[in-house]
Amino acid sequence: MSLILAIESSCDDTSAAVLRDNQLLSNVIASQKVHEQFGGVVPELASRAHQQNIVPTVDAALKNANIDKRQLDAVAFTRGPGLLGSLLVGVSFAKSFAQALDIPLIEVNHLQAHVLSHFIINQSGQTSYTPPKFPFMCLLVSGGHTQILLLRSHFDMQVIGQTIDDAAGEAIDKAAKIMDLGYPGGPIIDRLAKEGNPDAYHFATPNIPDFNFSFSGIKTSFLYFLRDQLKEDPDFIERHKSDLCASIQNCIVSFLLKKLEKAALKYHVSQVAIAGGVSANSSLREGLARIGAKHGWQVFVPTLQFCTDNAAMVGIAAYYKFLNKDFADISLPPYTR
Ligand code: KG4
Ligand code: ZN
């Protein structure tokens, strides 16, 4: 049996979780509102907010789990990729905590953590839940990353394809910013798109070979389209908001799903998952279910609380490392890429 405290601080969410083996006992997330007024994450402000949040967040995670820190068997932290100033707060905290308690440290890669979120047994025990079986394919889509991965074991992840420029979440957030909808734009576009027509407007997707993606051209064509329309009608965005949201979302989601479907066919896998912040998107989740039904594949979408950044996913990745006694040295620095 293991009790692990996990810490996530790679971007703008300070999170701490406690897991008993693969079962989650608590998962506390302190989101940073300070970035909203800037329409994006300001690294220096993120780092400062992590410093303010980390102690109360860890404290709440231990309390909610009803665990005393002296019972812990290991402390896990996100080592990267992420913002350096943000990572440093979690990394330094984890190191001091582990040293003070004289227990091992476990370093976790943020992207692996997102994918492994499928293996978390949630607070209610969720005994009926079956995680994907190896090998399975996972589309990892977040604000910083877009990759198609083939998993042969918990830590054997082959990158089959990835974005050559912006991440999918970044593209969605930028589209929202162009329309002045607020930040982060993903959940807002998702909500507004529900009342819109996904075929109202068409934005060309680029011809990128293999299983790679590119989103910067889509963003630019969206920007130019709106610039032209606004010349004719200054209220164009306001009057067509939901159709615009539905159309740009449809463009990005269809692009993602088309490549994922092709990749799963090529690699002969019948278990297909999505992970990362954008996997919270209702259109992506529905689209994956449709593809699964069409091919008879088993599909896996993470519970909403595990889509966007959280420490529970860091904890599950740490659990599998704990089983392998894969511990980190106290001198390890964070990495940004
Ligand atoms: O995984 P995450 O929390 O952070 C990174 O590791 O980047 O992902 C954040 C991204 C943001 O771009 C946000 O807009 C997007 O996930 N996102 C969504 C939705 N919820 C969050 N995108 C589309 N639809 C959503 N419902
Ligand atoms: Zn993330």
Side-chain angles (χ1 to χ4, degrees):
M1 205 272 290
S2 66
L3 271 175
I4 298 177
L5 168 71
I7 292 163
E8 156 64 35
S9 74
S10 66
C11 191
D12 61 340
D13 292 299
T14 319
S15 181
V18 178
L19 281 84
R20 178 183 289 122
D21 296 333
N22 53 350
Q23 174 161 12
L24 186 64
L25 300 184
S26 66
N27 184 36
V28 178
I29 303 171
S31 300
Q32 305 178 358
K33 297 270 172 257
V34 61
H35 308 287
E36 280 170 15
Q37 57 186 306
F38 300 101
V41 178
V42 183
E44 177 57 30
L45 295 180
S47 165
R48 276 190 233 173
H50 281 305
Q51 287 176 35
Q52 285 169 350
N53 293 344
I54 188 101
V55 173
T57 303
V58 168
D59 213 40
L62 289 169
K63 274 207 187 82
N64 293 357
N66 209 5
I67 292 292
D68 184 276
K69 60 180 183 291
R70 283 172 294 252
Q71 294 172 265
L72 292 171
D73 296 301
V75 180
F77 63 95
T78 300
R79 186 179 169 201
L83 301 168
L84 185 62
S86 290
L87 288 165
L88 273 169
V89 177
V91 173
S92 317
F93 185 92
K95 285 179 179 176
S96 347
F97 214 72
Q99 217 165 23
L101 295 168
D102 197 22
I103 52 176
L105 260 180
I106 302 174
E107 57 136 332
V108 169
N109 175 292
H110 184 80
L111 308 182
Q112 286 185 337
H114 268 301
V115 176
L116 294 178
S117 63
H118 284 284
F119 295 88
I120 302 168
I121 308 274
N122 76 13
Q123 279 108 320
S124 62
Q126 213 185 31
T127 43
S128 62
Y129 176 75
T130 39
K133 288 184 193 70
F134 301 108
F136 72 93
M137 194 153 273
C138 185
L139 170 73
L140 169 59
V141 265
S142 71
H145 304 274
T146 302
Q147 296 184 325
I148 297 178
L149 301 156
L150 180 62
L151 278 95
R152 295 193 181 85
S153 71
H154 291 104
F155 294 106
D156 178 353
M157 302 189 187
Q158 183 188 348
V159 181
I160 302 300
Q162 59 191 326
T163 180
I164 58 166
D165 43 50
D166 295 350
E170 195 180 351
I172 296 176
D173 291 343
K174 282 178 181 167
K177 196 171 180 177
I178 293 168
M179 293 187 282
D180 206 16
L181 296 182
Y183 181 85
I188 305 171
I189 288 199
D190 191 356
R191 181 168 44 79
L192 291 170
K194 291 201 168 85
E195 278 122 54
N197 172 10
D199 294 312
Y201 308 105
H202 288 273
F203 307 102
T205 40
N207 241 328
I208 305 290
D210 305 322
F211 305 111
N212 293 324
F213 301 97
S214 164
F215 292 99
S216 70
I218 299 174
K219 174 197 68 196
T220 313
S221 72
F222 187 66
L223 177 70
Y224 288 172
F225 169 76
L226 282 181
R227 197 187 54 185
D228 293 345
Q229 297 300 320
L230 287 168
K231 275 187 206 148
E232 309 283 317
D233 172 9
D235 294 327
F236 184 81
I237 295 178
E238 202 44 51
R239 294 201 297 112
H240 301 280
K241 207 180 262 175
S242 26
D243 281 350
L244 285 166
C245 289
S247 299
I248 191 71
Q249 175 178 278
N250 181 40
C251 169
I252 292 170
V253 165
S254 309
F255 188 29
L256 290 168
L257 288 173
K258 206 169 76 188
K259 294 262 179 167
L260 178 62
E261 184 178 14
K262 261 173 70 179
L265 286 171
K266 159 127 193 239
Y267 286 87
H268 308 290
V269 290
S270 56
Q271 309 232 346
V272 184
I274 52 176
V278 182
S279 68
N281 184 268
S282 46
S283 165
L284 182 64
R285 293 165 87 94
E286 286 157 19
L288 180 70
R290 261 198 315 277
I291 292 178
K294 175 173 146 195
H295 295 287
W297 295 339
Q298 227 180 325
V299 298
F300 301 87
V301 296
T303 312
L304 281 176
Q305 65 160 328
F306 305 139
C307 290
T308 44
D309 290 348
N310 66 86
M313 66 184 196
V314 177
I316 192 75
Y319 164 68
Y320 290 109
K321 287 195 157 189
F322 185 90
L323 293 180
N324 296 334
K325 294 199 168 46
D326 184 358
F327 301 132
D329 189 85
I330 193 90
S331 65
L332 275 189
Y335 52 79
T336 54
R337 298 184 152 267

